[in-house]
Amino acid sequence: RCVQETGLEAKGQLKLDWGTLKNNRDAYIERLQDIYKNNIIKDKIEVVKGICKFLNNKTVECNGEEFISDHILIATGSKPRRLKIPGEEHCISSDGFFALEQQPQSILIIGGGYIGIEISCMLNALGTETFLSTRDKGILKKFDKESTSFLLKSMIGHGIKYLPYTEVKKVTKQPDGRLKVQIDGIPGKNEMVVDCVLYGIGRIPETEDLCLQNTDIKVEKGRIIVDEDHNTNIKGVYSIGDACQFLQLTPTAIRAGRILSERLFNGQAQLKMVYDTIPTVIFAHPPYGNIGLSEECAKEKFGENNVKVYNCLLYTSDAADDLLCVDLGGRRIIKKK
């Protein structure tokens, strides 16, 4: 039943009905949104829909109405960073991916972060000819290099066409609807044609419409600067999630919000977020999990002579390659001496 709901037909050769997958996914998201709306109504929370703007450090305005509060939380999230090239309007971000009405037969994905890796692995597994473009060599820059190198090797082995040191310059829509891409960095070739171009080159905080210039709130490159308790430099103004400078993960923002609420309104002043040991996973094929510092970050923080690295390589049969990849070549244990 669960397989059928995703649009997969498991009898015989695996097939995917993209329309069924999209419709069921959209219905699932709508159900979740209804649950959140109903919970807000039950808790008697007043919702004001509109663009909120700061008038000063403690006053915000929305739809012509002014609000003053002892506590103001900025949790506006983020949006995809734009590609900013000719023909960008023909490309999609991760937001547009969920609006695709049919599975592309070929796709160029720009960016080697969470989004680029997860979508390229998923579409490749579903049979889409998948190209992955990065400006440098390597993926998942903030993660352990040895582990991500192993993951990338596995992705290439599963059929993803990796294009390092490449940069998309222009995208043109052809009469048949396909996209002609001008791309630098491929030896002997500067054009390719695909059904879809998706960019995942990072996210930027949704703070530009808040008129923070009317306040004394400290901001760097659009991100609101907060301390370990998520306080801004203005008393009574806080920020969590993608709007501030900490880790951009949804469960992390939820936890930060709960801790902030407990601290402010339930007398739990001792509660704090600990960002050094947050586990995260990239849903690649195979999945890659990580917690704590990478080898590179540990050496930078403590000094190379103060870090000891243990490698435990595993050897398996060819049939179990994916199991080997899950371990990413071995359990890497990094500790301060």
Side-chain angles (χ1 to χ4, degrees):
R1 180 173 170 270
C2 291
V3 171
Q4 292 175 344
E5 287 179 354
T6 62
L8 286 169
E9 183 180 327
K11 296 179 180 179
Q13 186 177 358
L14 194 65
K15 295 180 181 179
L16 173 69
D17 185 326
W18 187 273
T20 298
L21 172 64
K22 181 185 182 301
N23 292 337
N24 288 343
R25 181 263 175 194
D26 292 346
Y28 176 73
I29 295 299
E30 188 174 346
R31 286 197 300 273
L32 284 181
Q33 291 176 338
D34 287 340
I35 291 172
Y36 292 139
K37 290 176 184 176
N38 289 332
N39 287 340
I40 288 173
I41 292 172
K42 290 177 183 177
D43 291 336
K44 298 180 180 180
I45 298 172
E46 181 183 356
V47 177
V48 180
K49 294 184 179 181
I51 297 176
C52 185
K53 299 180 180 181
F54 276 84
L55 301 181
N56 53 52
N57 287 341
K58 303 296 290 185
T59 307
V60 296
E61 179 269 328
C62 186
N63 300 334
E65 186 176 359
E66 294 185 9
F67 299 86
I68 300 175
S69 175
D70 293 332
H71 302 287
I72 299 175
L73 172 62
I74 303 172
T76 49
S78 62
K79 62 183 179 181
R81 187 183 302 277
R82 292 180 54 192
L83 198 55
K84 295 182 180 179
I85 60 168
E88 178 194 12
E89 67 273 14
H90 305 307
C91 308
I92 62 172
S93 67
S94 56
D95 293 344
F97 172 76
F98 294 109
L100 287 174
E101 295 292 339
Q102 58 185 0
Q103 180 183 346
Q105 296 303 302
S106 59
I107 188 169
L108 170 64
I109 296 175
I110 305 168
Y114 274 85
I115 292 170
I117 299 307
E118 292 185 345
I119 294 181
S120 63
C121 286
M122 179 180 63
L123 286 177
N124 179 69
L126 292 173
T128 297
E129 184 180 20
T130 304
F131 300 88
L132 177 64
S133 167
T134 61
R135 296 182 67 173
D136 301 313
K137 186 176 182 180
I139 58 174
L140 301 170
K141 293 296 185 181
K142 295 182 180 180
F143 292 83
D144 184 83
K145 280 188 177 180
E146 185 173 351
S147 301
T148 56
S149 295
F150 196 92
L151 174 60
L152 179 58
K153 182 180 178 181
S154 174
M155 291 168 58
I156 294 171
H158 281 83
I160 292 175
K161 299 173 175 63
Y162 180 51
L163 308 174
Y165 303 116
T166 53
E167 185 173 359
V168 174
K169 294 294 186 180
K170 184 179 180 181
V171 177
T172 307
K173 193 167 187 176
Q174 301 190 131
D176 62 359
R178 303 191 77 202
L179 302 177
K180 183 168 71 172
V181 182
Q182 180 183 329
I183 183 169
D184 289 350
I186 303 177
K189 184 179 180 181
N190 62 3
E191 285 186 352
M192 60 189 306
V193 178
V194 292
D195 291 332
C196 182
V197 176
L198 181 146
Y199 57 91
I201 54 174
R203 300 181 67 85
I204 57 176
E206 284 265 31
T207 57
E208 68 272 22
D209 293 330
L210 295 178
C211 294
L212 294 174
Q213 66 272 18
N214 295 334
T215 74
D216 298 309
I217 297 171
K218 187 177 180 181
V219 180
E220 291 182 4
K221 296 181 179 179
R223 298 201 182 281
I224 297 168
I225 304 304
V226 296
D227 63 16
E228 61 180 4
D229 290 321
H230 289 273
N231 302 304
T232 68
N233 59 308
I234 303 301
K235 185 178 180 180
V237 180
Y238 323 93
S239 183
I240 61 172
D242 290 6
C244 68
Q245 81 271 24
F246 289 126
L247 200 60
Q248 297 181 9
L249 293 171
T250 300
T252 304
I254 293 172
R255 179 62 177 162
R258 287 174 176 166
I259 286 178
L260 181 64
S261 297
E262 291 286 339
R263 184 170 63 83
L264 293 179
F265 306 115
N266 200 30
Q268 301 294 316
Q270 78 284 359
L271 292 180
K272 292 183 182 294
M273 280 291 294
V274 179
Y275 284 96
D276 292 339
T277 53
I278 292 176
T280 184
V281 63
I282 292 87
F283 294 102
H285 289 189
Y288 167 40
N290 180 79
I291 184 171
L293 298 174
S294 67
E295 178 181 348
E296 295 75 25
C297 290
K299 289 179 177 178
E300 182 180 350
K301 183 174 182 178
F302 300 113
E304 186 166 355
N305 294 331
N306 296 319
V307 174
K308 193 169 185 178
V309 180
Y310 298 86
N311 283 296
C312 179
L313 296 179
L314 303 180
Y315 295 91
T316 64
S317 66
D318 291 341
D321 276 350
D322 280 353
L323 293 179
L324 172 64
C325 295
V326 169
D327 241 60
L328 297 173
R331 294 179 176 87
R332 293 176 55 70
I333 304 169
I334 303 167
K335 72 172 187 177
K336 186 179 179 182
K337 288 182 180 178

